[in-house]
Amino acid sequence: MKFAPLILKHLRKNWLRTLSTVLAMAVCIFLICTLQTVVDAVNYGLSLGNASRLVTRHYVSLVFNLPNSYKNKIAAIPGVQNTTIVNWFGGMYRGDMKYFFPNMAVEPERFMEIYPEIMVPEDQKQAWFHDGRGCIVGRKLADKWGWKVGDHFQLESFIPPYRVGKPFEFIIDGIYDTDTVKYPGTDLTAMYFNYKYLYEATGERAGIGTITVSIDDPKNAGRISKAIDAAFENSDVQTKTETEQAFRASFIAMAGNLALLLNGIGLAVAFTILLVTANTMSIAVRERQQEIGVLKTLGFPSGLVMALVLIEALLLGLMGGALGLFFAGGAIHALPSVPFIGDVVRQFPGLGLSPKIVSYGLGAALLLGLLAGLVPAVLAYRARITEVLRQV
Amino acid sequence: MSATEAAAKTGAVSVQNVRKFYQRDSMQIKVLDGLNLEVPPGEFLALMGPSGSGKTTLLNLIAGIDRATSGRVVVAGTDLGPLSEGELAKWRSRNVGFIFQFYNLIPVLNAVENVELPLLLTSLSRRERRERAMTALRIVGLSDRYKHYPRQLSGGQEQRVAIARAVVTDPTVLVADEPTGDLDAQSAEEILDLMQTFNKDFGKTIVMVTHDPRAAVRAHTQRHLEKGVLTN
């Protein structure tokens, strides 16, 4: 501690350089921690998929629909217990994407059988089953808009086949909750309505986006998936069937790729910051060659001089890390409120700056500091008094 | 036996048949050639000679910041040759005070912090360190400037702070490399007065390299070095 004033005064002397280095580190740690938090949340969300459910979709892309006849053929495959259509409607509330929330057309009775995590009071459930324009909304969504059972609202889809010249009108028949212990990660910000309404309103042009299939035993998932896809192998429209977990993974493949890309960018930024910080530290140490020579002349051992340089670099890393984590905490807290991104990340439980990410971020910051300070520290260690003081 | 007692027995500085060569690419440059020098305790020695004669190299060997190619350097009773780098650093911190031509104060530290620097290597408490540093500053007449940074001091004042830093650990030997070389005449006189005070009143052995005849006359003894050999 007695050497602290020497280290701190050096950092304070070139405060602009210190500040810019700390900010650069902070940006790097902010990026790494924010991205890692989102990736972790996504991965956690994926891990929550029900192993007893399969999802069948168009082989090529989710953009293309399946023929309506496929549902019954799938239902007939051994091991399949139940099926429901789940179509992403893409409805915009108040005609504006910034109010967007997930909304899907499903077959109500079958949907409720297959998705036990969607918990609706029996009377509301029955009302929905018998109401063509009815829907159920998640508790969080209802709370957000102050909706209650019996309220009306409109949605207008941005998907061309579902745009019918006027918005779809819905009546809230039920508000669903979930058992968060038994079914963590259940999205309470979604809305489900009757596929029949969509089918009829589009002049029977609406195809099937995906079919959720419940199976008898998770162990048979592989066999049943293959059987479903094999059934349509020689058709014009081939299918791709996978577990709900895998489907979610592929559904957010773009997000996954994006995460990969952003993580790549994060790493690139980290590497750049490393070079910048190492350069800054090298300049700082080079400027202090004479001082290093003086310290050694006074009897400071080379190891101590090296440690002083390293501690200075580590302090820069620590300050950058702390600031970056502060920014990341703020950003992650604000993320669910951001249009679009918020709608996606809200679906993933556990979104927050976890102790793991905090230690990861601080570790990365300290490692950056250490790596940046290593070469200058070794140079300081090796510096010969007679050379640096140019007394020869 | 203390360093001072040992020095009294063997001489404060004993340089015996010392050779020093530098390697520049494939060329070997001879700087000191079989040099012998005895400096008794309490001596004030001025080393003079033209540039490149080996004065600073000899000073560096005496201060333990460079090593002889061959021969023995014994300072304050310690043969510096066998010491490891770490031992040499520790020895320097206890036995030698170094005064540079360009003061070499740490710019981010104020006067008292600069003087305190060598004491950071001791086990003294913070208060003891500060008291000793303030005493040293008082002796060099700068106790009222203890909070001033080097940039806020004149050249003469900076050198006085540097002298306070050199003596704060109460070393046996003070080595000074052109201590007045960067000062005006009046400041140079003040610095030389101060060095004489440390020599006379505190019994410090001083080895000073200088080009300045006015500085050299303040010393008890003047030795001339030419091409790595003492000529008188």
Side-chain angles (χ1 to χ4, degrees):
Chain A
M1 281 307 290
K2 57 187 175 184
F3 300 104
L6 183 62
I7 297 168
L8 294 177
K9 285 193 167 191
H10 273 305
L11 290 174
R12 212 173 59 188
K13 183 197 168 197
N14 278 306
W15 65 270
L16 196 59
R17 185 161 65 192
T18 301
L19 185 69
S20 54
T21 310
V22 166
L23 279 177
M25 285 242 193
V27 168
C28 171
I29 299 305
F30 161 76
L31 260 179
I32 289 176
C33 290
T34 307
L35 290 172
Q36 197 56 48
T37 298
V38 172
V39 168
D40 276 8
V42 169
N43 287 338
Y44 179 63
L46 290 177
S47 70
L48 299 172
N50 190 316
S52 297
R53 291 197 292 250
L54 305 178
V55 177
T56 301
R57 62 179 173 92
H58 194 288
Y59 182 78
V60 175
S61 165
L62 269 170
V63 173
F64 301 111
N65 285 334
L66 299 171
N68 281 297
S69 59
Y70 277 27
K71 204 170 75 75
N72 291 335
K73 286 182 182 169
I74 290 172
I77 289 171
V80 171
Q81 288 194 321
N82 205 347
T83 60
T84 178
I85 295 167
V86 179
N87 269 31
W88 181 264
F89 179 57
M92 293 178 287
Y93 183 50
R94 295 178 176 174
D96 195 329
M97 278 302 279
K98 70 180 175 187
Y99 303 125
F100 182 83
F101 51 81
N103 41 79
M104 266 78 70
V106 299
E107 296 169 284
E109 288 93 338
R110 290 168 176 271
F111 177 78
M112 293 307 292
E113 286 165 14
I114 295 174
Y115 288 86
E117 62 265 45
I118 305 292
M119 297 173 173
V120 189
E122 191 57 33
D123 57 327
Q124 294 179 13
K125 198 195 296 182
Q126 291 304 322
W128 184 35
F129 291 168
H130 298 99
D131 182 0
R133 297 192 170 193
C135 71
I136 57 170
V137 296
R139 175 68 61 194
K140 284 185 182 172
L141 185 63
D143 289 348
K144 181 180 177 181
W145 297 108
W147 288 338
K148 54 189 184 303
V149 172
D151 282 355
H152 290 229
F153 67 91
Q154 294 179 335
L155 291 180
E156 190 168 5
S157 176
F158 62 81
I159 298 171
Y162 303 158
R163 293 179 72 85
V164 291
K166 60 176 183 176
F168 283 66
E169 176 134 358
F170 298 101
I171 304 156
I172 299 173
D173 288 330
I175 294 172
Y176 72 85
D177 283 295
T178 193
D179 181 340
T180 51
V181 177
K182 202 171 170 187
Y183 305 108
T186 302
D187 184 12
L188 293 179
T189 66
M191 170 262 191
Y192 300 96
F193 66 97
N194 199 326
Y195 171 75
K196 197 185 283 181
Y197 179 26
L198 176 68
Y199 186 67
E200 289 171 356
T202 55
E204 301 183 353
R205 281 186 289 116
I208 296 175
T210 63
I211 298 169
T212 300
V213 179
S214 70
I215 55 174
D216 53 0
D217 188 339
K219 288 178 193 161
N220 298 330
R223 179 183 60 77
I224 298 171
S225 298
K226 278 183 188 165
I228 293 171
D229 292 342
F232 306 106
E233 203 169 27
N234 297 318
S235 311
D236 288 343
V237 178
Q238 293 170 6
T239 60
K240 181 173 182 180
T241 304
E242 55 205 341
T243 61
E244 192 174 61
Q245 284 180 1
F247 171 72
R248 286 192 188 194
S250 64
F251 181 67
I252 59 157
M254 279 191 299
N257 289 338
L258 190 65
L260 189 71
L261 178 71
L262 292 179
N263 269 337
I265 292 170
L267 276 176
V269 170
F271 185 67
T272 310
I273 300 296
L274 171 66
L275 295 182
V276 169
T277 313
N279 190 41
T280 305
M281 283 305 299
S282 295
I283 292 170
V285 170
R286 211 162 37 237
E287 282 175 358
R288 300 212 299 266
Q289 281 295 296
Q290 202 175 25
E291 176 187 324
I292 287 165
V294 172
L295 290 178
K296 288 189 170 185
T297 304
L298 294 178
F300 279 60
S302 297
L304 177 59
V305 175
M306 180 179 172
L308 291 176
V309 174
L310 269 183
I311 290 170
E312 192 175 323
L314 284 172
L315 262 180
L316 280 175
L318 193 65
M319 287 192 284
L323 196 63
L325 284 170
F326 176 74
F327 289 153
I332 289 162
H333 183 70
L335 217 50
S337 315
V338 177
F340 303 121
I341 298 171
D343 296 319
V344 176
V345 298
R346 270 200 306 273
Q347 294 180 43
F348 301 110
L351 187 75
L353 210 53
S354 66
K356 188 190 101 180
I357 298 289
V358 170
S359 45
Y360 177 69
L362 277 181
L366 288 173
L367 185 68
L368 270 180
L370 187 73
L371 291 175
L374 200 59
V375 172
V378 169
L379 289 178
Y381 179 87
R382 288 184 178 171
R384 289 172 56 86
I385 301 172
T386 49
E387 283 171 11
V388 293
L389 292 181
R390 297 182 182 180
Q391 290 178 339
V392 179
Chain B
M1 188 163 55
S2 71
T4 313
E5 287 165 344
K9 203 171 179 181
T10 62
V13 177
S14 177
V15 178
Q16 301 160 18
N17 196 27
V18 160
R19 288 164 181 270
K20 177 69 182 177
F21 300 123
Y22 286 116
Q23 198 71 33
R24 289 276 183 274
D25 300 321
S26 59
M27 263 177 64
Q28 199 175 52
I29 300 166
K30 189 163 58 179
V31 184
L32 299 176
D33 190 11
L35 190 137
N36 290 289
L37 174 70
E38 293 294 327
V39 184
E43 173 72 294
F44 187 170
L45 169 73
L47 277 174
M48 301 188 74
S51 291
S53 59
K55 305 184 298 293
T56 298
T57 301
L58 177 58
L59 201 69
N60 289 342
L61 295 179
I62 293 169
I65 58 178
D66 202 356
R67 289 177 184 276
T69 308
S70 67
R72 271 183 96 205
V73 179
V74 181
V75 182
T78 305
D79 184 353
L80 306 187
L83 298 184
S84 68
E85 286 303 318
E87 288 167 337
L88 205 53
K90 199 171 179 180
W91 175 86
R92 277 199 303 273
S93 71
R94 291 177 180 174
N95 294 285
V96 179
F98 208 107
I99 302 164
F100 303 92
Q101 179 180 359
F102 298 109
Y103 336 125
N104 282 339
L105 298 179
I106 309 295
V108 295
L109 301 180
N110 61 32
V112 71
E113 287 167 339
N114 264 291
V115 177
E116 236 182 283
L117 258 186
L119 298 176
L120 293 178
L121 300 170
T122 68
S123 57
L124 293 175
S125 69
R126 191 177 171 176
R127 177 186 277 188
E128 288 169 324
R129 290 199 306 266
R130 187 51 59 102
E131 279 174 4
R132 286 202 187 189
M134 285 304 295
T135 303
L137 277 177
R138 207 171 296 121
I139 294 170
V140 300
L142 281 178
S143 57
D144 57 332
R145 300 292 192 101
Y146 76 102
K147 276 198 169 173
H148 286 219
Y149 285 86
R151 65 177 180 278
Q152 297 168 317
L153 300 170
S154 68
Q157 288 168 335
E158 278 196 77
Q159 192 61 301
R160 281 197 272 164
V161 173
I163 291 173
R165 182 179 65 185
V167 299
V168 75
T169 53
D170 193 24
T172 314
V173 179
L174 284 180
V175 292
D177 190 3
E178 302 272 12
T180 58
D182 195 44
L183 298 176
D184 59 76
Q186 193 189 334
S187 298
E189 289 299 320
E190 287 170 7
I191 293 302
L192 292 167
D193 287 344
L194 206 51
M195 290 178 71
Q196 275 191 318
T197 303
F198 280 109
N199 176 246
K200 279 184 188 164
D201 300 349
F202 297 93
K204 300 293 168 202
T205 305
I206 300 177
V207 181
M208 173 177 70
V209 162
T210 184
H211 277 110
D212 183 1
R214 285 173 304 177
V217 294
R218 297 290 198 105
H220 303 154
T221 315
Q222 295 177 24
R223 300 298 301 270
H224 287 261
L225 201 62
E226 217 156 300
K227 292 181 181 174
V229 178
L230 283 169
T231 55
N232 71 333

